[in-house]
């Protein structure tokens, strides 16, 4: 292999690595901008609605996933999906009628 062929392969490998890093940086930046604009707008919309935000879905996050943590349930709950639950108060009794409670 001549030095010219070797130099061409090195340039090609450098171009491929650079292109992958550029695409990764573009996707990361787009994700950060999307989250940065979406979360404040959702919070502003939630403030306009009467109700409470409740966790709809989440997971238990463990430090290292060891058997001891699984047996004793050690971990922290991290909510992944939120939803609005309307506050409905009966004016005669003052009781709150939650959607999950049975109707009486």
């Amino acid at each position: 292999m001549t030095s010219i062929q070797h130099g061409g392969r090195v340039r090609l490998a450098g171009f491929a690595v650079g292109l992958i890093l550029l695409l990764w940086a573009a996707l990361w930046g787009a994700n950060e901008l999307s989250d940065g604009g979406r979360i404040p707008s959702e919070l502003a919309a939630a403030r306009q609605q009467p109700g409470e935000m409740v966790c709809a879905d989440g997971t238990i996050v463990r430090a290292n996933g060891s058997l001891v943590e699984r047996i004793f349930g050690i971990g922290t709950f991290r909510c992944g999906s939120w939803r609005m639950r309307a506050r409905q108060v009966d004016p005669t009794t003052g009781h709150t009628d939650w959607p999950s409670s049975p109707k009486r």
Side-chain angles (χ1 to χ4, degrees), residues 8-48:
R9 289 183 179 169
V10 169
R11 278 194 296 254
L12 183 60
F15 175 75
V17 169
L19 184 62
I20 289 170
L21 288 175
L22 179 68
L23 289 174
W24 176 81
L27 288 173
W28 178 78
N31 184 41
E32 290 297 315
L33 290 174
S34 172
D35 285 349
R38 181 175 49 93
I39 293 170
S41 64
E42 287 185 16
L43 289 174
R47 278 191 217 110
Q48 301 297 325

Side-chain angles (χ1 to χ4, degrees), residues 18-102:
L19 184 62
I20 289 170
L21 288 175
L22 179 68
L23 289 174
W24 176 81
L27 288 173
W28 178 78
N31 184 41
E32 290 297 315
L33 290 174
S34 172
D35 285 349
R38 181 175 49 93
I39 293 170
S41 64
E42 287 185 16
L43 289 174
R47 278 191 217 110
Q48 301 297 325
Q49 299 175 2
E52 297 176 342
M53 293 198 63
V54 294
C55 184
D57 186 31
T59 58
I60 301 292
V61 179
R62 294 181 171 84
N64 60 4
S66 68
L67 182 62
V68 173
E69 286 183 342
R70 290 178 187 263
I71 291 172
F72 292 109
I74 300 171
T76 52
F77 181 78
R78 191 168 287 167
C79 187
S81 176
W82 295 88
R83 67 179 175 88
M84 289 294 294
R85 178 168 62 183
R87 281 189 218 140
Q88 299 170 350
V89 178
D90 185 5
T92 58
T93 61
H95 292 290
T96 303
D97 180 29
W98 298 112
S100 60
S101 65

